[in-house]
C-alpha cells in the first residue's frame, strides 16, 4: 500500500485523505492546523448546545464578548466601504495567516486560511454539482464524477430535492430531504408558484438551495434544530465543516496528523522525483526536512501554487509564472419583500440560504447562480445601513422591516487568462520570497454583470420584492475565495499542467487535488466539486 503525504486539511485534502484511508493506504497530513482559542464566552456557548440564539443571549455571562467581541470584530458599521457582514470573534482564527507568508497583490484581495479544515470552516454550506456544459474544459464529464458527488454526499449529508433548479444542479444519490423553510422563504416559493411562467420567460428559475446541513441525524451529528446560531458555529454539528472529516481520519491507525508546521517547499532529485518536504514550525520556528514517498498538494490554489513555485526556484533556479488564476465575481443584492413589511419575525430558523435562483445565458456554461438568504438572525441589514436616520427611528424601521429583508448573492463564472497570474518576488533576508498576485477582470465582465443585475431586479419585482437603489455591493476579486486554475488538469501533456488524475507533468510523484487544477470556474461554490474530484483522484490514481 502507498505511503502518501498530504499538505493541507481543507475540503480537498480532507476527502482525499479519507478516500485513501478507506482503501488501506497510509496517510501523513502536514498542516498549520490552527484551532479556535475559545474564550470563556465561547466555551459557555458550546456547552449550551440546545439553546436558541435568544436563549443564548440571556444565558451567557458576557453575550457582547461572544456575539460582537471587545474589538467589535463582528460589526460592519454604517458608512463602511467594506463587506456587509463581519466575522464572529471566535472565528477570526480561520483567516489568520502564518507570519512566514508574504503576499503582494494587484487587482485581487486574497484570503488565506491556516485553520484545521481551511476556509470552509467559515462557509455557508452551498453544494452544487457541475453540469456537462460546465465541465466541458475538464477531461471528464458529469458521468465520471457523479459517483464521487454521491460518495461525498453520503459522508457529509446534503439536503435538496428535484425542482426547477435540477437542470443546473444534476441529481445524485444520497440527498437528504430539504430543511424546513423559514416563513419568508416559504412565501417566496409560494409566489414563485403563481408567477413561474413569467419568471421562466426571463430564463430565471427558482428552487431549493443544496446545503451541507443535516435534516436527519447522522452518526454523532444531530439534524438541524433551527436554533438560529449558524453564523456563530452550529453547536450540534448539523452544518458540515472539513474539520469533521479530519476527526474521522484520526480514527484510522494509518493516519498521522502533523500540525503546527508550515510547508515551504519540496526537494527532489535529478529525475525530478520528490524526496523531501521542507517545513518550519509556526510562527518562525525551526526548519527541517521530512521524507516523502508521494506528495499531494491540497493547500488551496494560492498556497499550493506558492509551494510549487518556491520548489522550482530552490531546486532548479527557475522562476516560472503560473497563469490562469480564477475567482468568482460576486455581487450582493439586498431586497425588500413588500408583502412581508410589518410581519412578525421568527428568530428560530436556519440562518443561511435556503433558496437559490438560476439565470440562463446565451452559453450554458455562463449560467449565473444566485443564493437567496432571508434575514433571520443576522445582526443588521445593508438596506438599513444606507438610510440615514436617528437611533429611535432606525429601531422602529428595523423591527417592522426585518421579516421583509433578504439578500441575493449573485455568482459569475471565470475563465483562465494570461494576465491573471502568480509568481514569486525577490527574496529578502531569511524569509521566503513573497507571492505576487496579479488579476485583471475580463473586458466583458462588467456588461455581463450589468445584464444579470437588470434581469435579477425584474425577477425580484415579479416576486413582489424591490431593490433599494444604490445598495448593491460588487465584492472585490478574491472575496469569494473560489481560487483556481493555476496548474490546470488537461489531456494535453504540457508543462505546468496535470493529468486527468491530478499527477503533475513536472514531477514524478506529485499530485494536486485542489482548485489549482480547475481549467474553468463556473458560477457556483466549488467546494463540493473539490471534495468529489479529490475522492475521484484518490480512487483512480492510488
Amino acid at each position: 500500500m502507498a505511503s502518501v503525504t498530504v499538505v493541507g486539511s481543507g475540503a480537498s485534502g480532507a476527502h482525499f485523505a479519507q478516500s485513501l484511508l478507506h482503501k488501506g493506504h497510509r496517510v501523513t497530513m502536514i498542516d498549520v492546523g490552527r484551532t479556535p482559542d475559545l474564550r470563556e464566552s465561547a466555551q459557555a456557548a458550546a456547552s449550551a448546545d440546545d439553546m436558541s440564539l435568544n436563549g443564548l443571549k440571556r444565558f451567557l455571562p458576557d453575550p457582547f464578548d461572544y456575539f460582537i467581541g471587545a474589538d467589535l470584530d463582528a460589526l460592519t458599521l454604517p458608512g463602511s466601504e467594506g463587506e456587509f457582514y463581519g466575522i464572529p470573534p471566535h472565528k477570526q482564527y480561520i483567516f489568520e495567516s502564518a507570519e512566514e507568508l508574504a503576499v503582494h497583490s494587484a487587482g485581487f484581495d486574497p484570503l488565506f486560511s491556516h485553520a484545521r479544515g481551511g476556509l470552509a470552516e467559515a462557509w455557508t454550506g452551498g453544494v452544487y454539482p457541475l453540469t456537462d456544459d460546465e465541465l466541458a474544459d475538464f477531461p471528464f464529464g458529469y458521468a465520471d464524477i457523479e459517483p464521487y458527488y454521491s460518495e461525498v454526499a453520503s459522508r457529509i449529508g446534503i439536503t435538496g430535492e428535484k425542482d426547477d433548479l435540477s437542470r443546473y444542479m444534476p441529481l445524485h444519490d444520497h440527498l437528504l430531504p430539504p430543511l424546513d423553510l423559514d416563513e419568508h422563504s416559504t412565501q417566496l416559493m409560494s409566489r414563485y408558484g403563481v408567477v413561474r411562467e413569467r419568471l421562466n420567460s426571463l430564463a430565471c428559475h427558482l428552487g431549493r438551495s443544496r446545503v451541507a446541513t443535516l435534516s436527519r441525524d447522522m452518526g454523532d451529528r444531530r439534524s438541524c434544530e433551527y436554533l438560529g446560531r449558524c453564523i456563530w458555529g452550529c453547536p450540534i454539528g448539523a452544518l458540515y465543516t472539513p474539520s469533521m472529516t479530519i476527526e474521522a481520519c484520526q480514527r484510522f491507525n494509518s493516519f498521522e496528523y502533523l500540525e503546527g508546521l508550515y510547508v515551504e517547499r519540496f526537494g527532489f532529485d535529478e529525475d525530478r522525483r520528490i524526496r523531501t518536504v521542507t517545513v518550519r514550525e509556526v510562527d518562525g520556528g525551526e526548519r527541517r526536512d521530512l521524507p516523502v514517498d508521494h506528495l499531494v498538494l491540497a493547500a488551496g490554489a494560492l498556497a499550493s501554487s506558492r509551494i510549487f513555485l518556491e520548489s522550482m526556484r530552490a531546486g532548479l533556479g527557475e522562476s516560472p509564472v503560473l497563469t490562469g488564476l480564477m475567482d468568482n465575481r460576486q455581487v450582493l443584492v439586498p431586497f425588500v419583500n413588500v408583502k412581508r413589511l410589518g410581519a412578525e419575525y421568527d428568530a428560530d430558523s436556519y440562518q443561511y440560504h435556503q433558496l437559490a435562483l438560476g439565470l440562463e445565458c446565451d452559453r450554458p456554461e455562463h449560467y449565473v447562480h444566485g443564493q437567496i438568504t432571508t434575514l433571520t438572525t443576522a445582526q443588521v441589514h445593508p438596506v438599513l445601513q444606507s438610510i440615514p436616520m436617528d437611533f429611535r427611528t432606525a429601531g422602529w424601521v428595523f423591527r417592522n422591516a426585518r421579516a421583509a429583508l433578504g439578500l441575493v448573492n449573485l455568482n459569475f463564472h471565470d475563465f483562465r487568462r494570461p494576465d491573471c497570474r502568480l509568481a514569486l518576488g525577490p527574496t529578502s533576508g531569511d524569509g521566503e520570497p513573497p507571492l505576487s498576485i496579479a488579476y485583471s477582470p475580463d473586458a466583458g465582465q462588467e456588461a455581463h454583470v450589468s445584464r444579470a443585475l437588470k434581469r435579477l431586479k425584474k425577477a425580484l419585482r415579479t416576486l413582489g420584492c424591490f431593490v433599494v437603489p444604490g445598495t448593491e455591493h460588487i465584492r472585490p476579486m478574491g472575496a469569494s475565495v473560489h481560487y483556481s486554475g493555476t496548474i490546470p488538469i488537461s489531456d494535453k501533456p504540457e508543462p505546468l499542467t496535470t493529468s486527468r488524475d491530478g499527477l503533475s507533468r513536472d514531477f514524478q510523484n506529485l499530485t494536486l487535488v485542489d482548485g489549482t487544477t480547475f481549467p474553468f470556474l463556473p458560477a457556483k461554490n466549488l467546494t463540493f466539486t473539490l471534495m468529489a474530484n479529490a475522492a475521484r483522484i484518490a480512487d483512480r490514481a492510488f
Side-chain angles (χ1 to χ4, degrees), residues 141-152 170-173 532 536:
Y142 178 74
D144 299 302
I145 198 171
E146 185 278 331
Y148 304 100
Y149 281 134
S150 297
E151 170 62 24
V152 171
L171 293 172
H172 50 77
D173 292 337
R536 183 191 67 85

Side-chain angles (χ1 to χ4, degrees), residues 397-411:
V397 170
F398 187 68
R399 285 191 298 273
N400 285 276
R402 186 169 194 166
L405 301 177
L407 183 80
V408 180
N409 182 354
L410 280 185
N411 286 254

Side-chain angles (χ1 to χ4, degrees), residues 156 214 217-223 236-240 244:
I156 71 176
L214 299 183
D217 293 351
M218 178 184 288
D220 58 359
R221 295 170 58 201
R222 287 151 50 187
S223 65
I236 59 175
L239 175 63
Y240 169 81
M244 296 177 182

